[in-house]
Amino acid sequence: MKIMQYTILLFSLVFLFACSEEEVAISSNPTAAEILEMEEDADIFQLNGAVYKTGMDWLNEEDVTENEKVGQIKSSSTDGSSFEDGTATHLPVGTSIYSVNENESVLLAEVNGEFIRYSILAEG
């Protein structure tokens, strides 16, 4: 009789664990909408699905050299939900964006012959 009770208990436990839902936490890079919600005057742009921001102190300490043109600003917006690749909050339309040789997470925006450094905003 005890064997039957243990068998039923075992099958019940297996069934409960097999039917339970697992929650999986997926982290992703912040969106323009999330950034602008926290800092409404943030100087950001989006390129290749990633958002880049300037104004971090460490960016000016990096020694970087311009590499190749990787994009251009196509539109301006402060509405994070309308952001897409080529959209910026502060950079003028037509601004060229360049990669750098030293750090793949840093990009340069050329405005009036001067370069402004931007860093990717990544989860982690």
Side-chain angles (χ1 to χ4, degrees), residues 35-96:
I35 295 161
L36 292 171
E37 187 176 305
M38 292 184 296
E39 184 184 345
E40 91 180 24
D41 195 36
D43 187 350
I44 61 174
F45 70 84
Q46 182 172 316
L47 187 67
N48 298 325
V51 178
Y52 292 80
K53 183 177 186 289
T54 193
M56 283 95 59
D57 291 336
W58 68 267
L59 269 173
N60 294 327
E61 297 169 3
E62 291 278 307
D63 287 327
V64 295
T65 53
E66 169 192 354
N67 189 8
E68 63 183 347
K69 184 176 177 178
V70 293
Q72 188 168 6
I73 300 303
K74 299 174 187 171
S75 64
S76 179
S77 178
T78 56
D79 176 17
S81 62
S82 68
F83 256 65
E84 57 187 23
D85 286 351
T87 304
T89 55
H90 289 68
L91 294 171
V93 172
T95 300
S96 294

